[in-house]
Amino acid sequence: MTVLLLFMTFVLAIFLGFELINKVPSQLHTPLMSGSNAISGITIVGAILATQVGGTFGQVLALLAIIAATVNVVGGYLVTDRMLGMFRAGKKGE
Amino acid sequence: MTTVVQLLYMVAAVLFILGLKMLGRAASARRGNFVSGAGMLLAVVATLLASGLNFGIIVAGIVVGTAVGVYVARTVKMTSMPEMVALLNGTGGAASMLVGWNEYVQRPDSGAVAAVSIFAAVVVGAMTTTGSVLAWAKLSEKIDGKPIMFASQQLVNAVILGATLVLGLLFVINPAGTYALLIGYLILGLALGVLVVLPIGGADMPIVISLLNSYSGVAAAAAGFAIGNTVLVVAGSLVGASGLILTQIMCKAMNRSLTNVLFSGFGSGTTASSTAVTGEIKPVSVEDAYYILEAASNVIFVPGYGMAVAQAQHVVKELADLLEKNGAEVRYVIHPVAGRMPGHMNVLLAEANVPYEQLVEPGDVNPSMELVDVAVVIGANDVVNPAAREDEASPLYGMPIIDVDKARTCFVLKRSMKPGFSGVENPLFYKPNSRMLFGDAKASLGALVAEFKDA
């Protein structure tokens, strides 16, 4: 993977991010934020790969990174789901 | 094998994009979160196919992280959601910082691009970590939530930022054999996170939280560059961009620039009221308020941070149900920056089972405000301050507000006459159609509910 290709992916993803989020109703701001926050836990991939090499210290860093990223991922998705579970449309006949 | 992994990463990236898109619409939001979660699971599984992994460490880390994540997600109260989201931002930032650090420990001399990326991942990750912890401490009132300013703060910030960049430059020029530089800018990054959040207080928190969210994405993308991983770059930049958009929306809702929010120390007491407010305060008893509400056919509730503090969302909903039974139309008008995180009020009202069709934005109600019989302001202040419209000298001037002063009657539920977060006097309280209902919002609303039930 050349750096240039990575950079192109980066720029395109930024544009996509802008396009995706514009015009979201304000009632969804919190779940959207916490949902995208969970996605930032993707760094768990880097943390897992970090266990590949390195001495004891490198492994300690990797362990801490995995713990932190997992908290971000698991906590992020569950919290978002809990919030979204509360949003409901009005029931008819009420 | 790497081809398979790359393809799986691509599918994961597509799932993230679809998930984010679905999160943007109420009907599909919950499924969107699920889709994005599936993408995450796929990315993790694909990564586990790599060779040379230390599975002992991976399993240990995931077990501990999952236990903590499940515990906090299950136990956090809805009213504490802003600080929870802040903390989760912090863990993401910390993880990216550690990944960058580890990459340097493993491969200290893999070229300038890697060095720049490691620098960015470590510094932005460190900033996100301490900034989020400080935001959490402020929001959960472990420390005073007011802006904290000190002499020549901006100068100190500029010097530290400059020093960080210099260390980064030296590091990039000669990455190998300059471990001390990495530790140096890591510490400066941690300090920057604290310094950026210190001067920001209470009502500006929605902006800080979405900005920190953006940072955690940027840190992940930088870590992706450092280790040459596509899915990290894609997901990180998606989050970075979406966080920035949310930040911008929040700023627009306050009619302020991001620089102003970050550096002005708004609400630290330096912005005194400019014009004297004339008129008189008219308190109202619960009984009188009940008679006015009983006769009303068009009622709006305007919640603010005070509703969260008083945990009054359930009793608000109870009162709204009684009003509806009484034949009134009830809506909740939510200002985009009400509360302490984007969409804070919506989450609390959803917790109380308020259907989302009744949650409306200021622009939906303001043009027909004259038709509203009663506007009930619950613990909101700056977002209903008519000075934003009328008083050019006011620091709030230009901020879009909810025009409750134009409703036929306006009840303001308030503990005391203390001004809002901005420290600006609110002329709304002195308008002829305003009635103050002093006391704890939950208790006052409870008393109104009791009046309705007795009738």
Side-chain angles (χ1 to χ4, degrees), chain B residues 362-387:
Chain B
D364 303 330
V365 176
N366 277 345
S368 56
M369 191 59 86
E370 290 77 8
L371 304 175
V372 171
D373 293 313
V374 184
V376 186
V377 178
I378 308 160
N381 195 339
D382 292 338
V383 298
V384 293
N385 191 336

Side-chain angles (χ1 to χ4, degrees), chain B residues 101 104 115 118-119 122-123 163-189:
Chain B
W101 189 354
Y104 181 73
I118 289 172
F119 168 72
V122 169
V123 171
T164 311
L165 293 175
V166 169
L167 289 189
L169 190 67
L170 292 173
F171 175 77
V172 172
I173 292 171
N174 178 21
T178 49
Y179 202 165
L181 288 177
L182 183 139
I183 302 300
Y185 62 67
L186 189 148
I187 292 170
L188 290 179

Side-chain angles (χ1 to χ4, degrees), chain A residues 30 37 50 52 58 77 81-82, chain B residues 30 36 73 76 89 102 106 342:
Chain A
T30 301
N37 171 37
Q52 272 172 329
Y77 280 112
D81 189 63
R82 241 185 89 186
Chain B
R30 202 171 185 186
S36 144
V76 62
N89 273 334
N102 175 283
Q106 288 185 19

Side-chain angles (χ1 to χ4, degrees), chain A residues 20-21 32 35-36 39 77 84, chain B residues 12-25 28-37 39 238:
Chain A
L20 280 175
I21 306 306
L32 183 75
S36 65
I39 295 180
Y77 280 112
L84 289 171
Chain B
V14 169
L15 290 175
F16 287 142
I17 293 165
L18 278 179
L20 267 180
K21 190 175 164 61
M22 290 164 79
L23 267 172
R25 270 182 299 125
S28 60
R30 202 171 185 186
R31 271 178 295 133
N33 189 48
F34 191 78
V35 168
S36 144
L238 279 175

